[in-house]
Structure formats: C-alpha cells, structure tokens
Amino acid sequence: MLTNGLPYLYKRAELAKRATFSYAAKKGKEGMKMDLQPLRPQEKKRAREFLTYNDIERARIVYGYLFEGQSTRRLDRTVLGLDPAVSRGYQSHNVLRYLGIAGVHKQACRGVSLDTVIDRLNGWGPDWMHVAYYLDVYRYAVQTSGQLFEGNVVDERMTEKRAVQIARIGQSHFRRALLQRDERCLLCEMEQRELLVASHMKPWRDANDWERLDIANGLLLCAGHDRAFDIGLITFEPSGQIVYSDALHDTTARLLHLHPRLHIPLTSDQRPYVEWHNEHVFQTY
Ligand SMILES: [Zn+2]
C-alpha cells in the first residue's frame, strides 16, 4: 500500500539501532557476561572466499571464532585443512569479514550457551541473522554428526537429509527476519502469519548461498500475492511501482485487490534482485 513505506523504513532503522546495543546476559542465569560489539560493515569484496566453502565449514569458522577464540590461522588448519604457513589465516579471515565479524568479536561468546546466543541474535535484525543461522547450522551439525556414518562409511542418505534440514534452517531464519521487517503482506497488509510467505525475488534455486538468506532479496507476501509474483504475473520497478504482466487477467487483478498505482518500499540494495526478477521471472511476450 502507498501508506506503508514510512513505518517500514522506520522499522528498518530501529532494527539496525537495536543491533548496536551490547547484551549482557543476566548474572546468575548464565553466570557470564557476553558483550557483543556491533557487526562491522560486511566486506562484500570477500565473496570469493565466502562462497568457496560450504555451510558447515562456514558454521565451524563462526563458532570457533566467537566461542573458542581460535585464531584465523588455526581455523584455516582445523576447519579448512590448509597449511597456515601458506594460507596465513586469510581464508577464515575473509569468511568472517564477509559476515561483518572482526577482532572485537573474537571469543565474545565464550562461556555462554549456544542456545542462548542463537536465541538472542534472532531479534537483532538482518545482519546478525546470518550469524545466528551459521550458529544454528553448527548446532545441528554437532547433533547429527554421530548419525553420519554407517560403520566407517559416510551414509549418503544422511548427507542428503542433512542438506535438506540445513536448507530448512536457513528458510526459517529468513522468514523470521522478513516477518520482523515487514510484519504483513506488502501488497494487501494481511497479517495472519500462517498465510504469509517469505518470497524471494531471485529464487532459491538460482541464488548463491549469500543471496538465499539476504533479506534484501526477500519480500513478505500473502500466499496469493506470493504465487502471482513467483510465477511472474506481477513484478516491481526498482522504485517499487507494481507492473502487471499481459498474462494477468483483469478479473484476477481485481480479485487479488491489485491496482495499477500500488507500490512497495524498495531500497537500493534490493535493486539487483528486483531487476533479476524482471529479467528472468516476469512473464513478457
Ligand atoms: Zn497480500
């Protein structure tokens, strides 16, 4: 709706602000203090290193750094199997920097339980969401590592099941972050959660590991509007203005409560995603 732009941008600023507060776990409950500095700006030029490794490797690097205070040289060896004399910790370092994790975060979570940290980070907005996701993957990997082997052989069914489960963990973090940001369908303001879908502009199957969980790639839409967007019957200009496909029937547009002047709030970091949708998903003749 035309009216929901302001609250949305406000909400975004508010979430960013909240993420800069350090958190001290209540004494007695945890018995330890956890101070988390704000994440540093994510260094997107580190994409090559970040994308070289898989979810579990990235998860082990994040955990080893935040909870165990392992040096990046050591992580290169223990997680990535590299010779630190040659790699100099560069690979782990860049994976961490891509997520915004820096020296000030080293062993910041030591002594706090993994469950508590994941739980806390979930409310801290989209940047921390990626960190929470990797810690969640780490927790899952540890829980299931005993089931991976059949005798001494890796059980292929288990690796497949694990991949599906990790994708689910990612989708649930992505959806939670979008529910926090948008709260309701961007087109009709429906707010019944069971009917809201975390929609991707660049679909999961085409997106890389970062893009799949990048909140800039997401729109919260109700089931009907998600479907119309997902199959390319509607799209948006980078300004957020709705565009109809010729394949969209007038009656359908009416039944979906669409009108040609609708626009949604889109920010500049969403532009590449919406352009991708326009080019590859939107139905044109
Ligand atoms: Zn809707």
Side-chain angles (χ1 to χ4, degrees), residues 74-85:
R74 181 140 178 245
L75 289 166
D76 268 12
R77 180 163 56 81
T78 55
V79 178
L80 304 177
L82 301 170
D83 176 3

Side-chain angles (χ1 to χ4, degrees), residues 185 188 222 225:
C185 173
C188 66
C222 68
H225 286 141

Side-chain angles (χ1 to χ4, degrees), residues 184-191 195-196 220-226 256-258:
R184 46 182 72 94
C185 173
L186 290 168
L187 285 171
C188 66
E189 304 200 350
M190 182 197 284
E191 46 189 342
L195 293 175
L196 292 172
L220 193 65
L221 297 171
C222 68
H225 286 141
D226 166 66
L256 285 174
H257 300 285
L258 296 175

Side-chain angles (χ1 to χ4, degrees), residues 51-72:
L51 295 172
T52 296
Y53 303 104
N54 65 37
D55 277 321
I56 292 180
E57 289 165 330
R58 288 186 289 246
R60 290 177 63 202
I61 290 171
V62 171
Y63 180 86
Y65 197 74
L66 294 180
F67 281 78
E68 298 172 336
Q70 288 195 48
S71 68
T72 52

Side-chain angles (χ1 to χ4, degrees), residues 145-156:
S145 58
Q147 304 159 30
L148 253 187
F149 298 95
E150 188 90 73
N152 271 333
V153 186
V154 173
D155 182 348
E156 289 302 328

